[in-house]
Amino acid sequence: HYSSKIVDDIILILISNLKLNKNIKIKNFGSFMLRKKNKRIGRNPKNNEIYKISERTVTTFKVSDALKLRINENASK
């Protein structure tokens, strides 16, 4: 129960910092960054209907090299 409160608090801190357009780097874990995507034309693959996709900001996550190494190290065992 206490651990879920900690996780909720961390997520709220991440969200509030991303709303302020701040990139977040967590050592040995990864980085959360905002990326702006331009408007473009999209297509629904089910019915081939074409529509406009609006301009928006998305959050991206890049895994740190240290975390990649630990994951791959454990996967090979």
Side-chain angles (χ1 to χ4, degrees), residues 21-35:
N21 290 324
K22 294 183 180 178
N23 292 337
I24 301 159
K25 183 176 181 180
I26 303 171
K27 186 176 180 175
N28 297 327
F29 184 71
S31 300
F32 293 90
M33 298 159 283
L34 293 177
R35 192 175 126 217

Side-chain angles (χ1 to χ4, degrees), residues 9-51:
D9 288 345
I10 290 170
I11 291 171
L12 286 174
I13 291 168
L14 289 172
I15 291 170
S16 62
N17 279 287
L18 286 170
K19 283 184 175 182
L20 296 172
N21 290 324
K22 294 183 180 178
N23 292 337
I24 301 159
K25 183 176 181 180
I26 303 171
K27 186 176 180 175
N28 297 327
F29 184 71
S31 300
F32 293 90
M33 298 159 283
L34 293 177
R35 192 175 126 217
K36 190 173 182 177
K37 293 186 118 183
N38 294 324
K39 61 183 175 182
R40 61 188 172 92
I41 302 295
R43 182 182 59 84
N44 183 336
K46 288 185 178 180
N47 59 17
N48 286 332
E49 187 176 316
I50 294 175
Y51 59 97

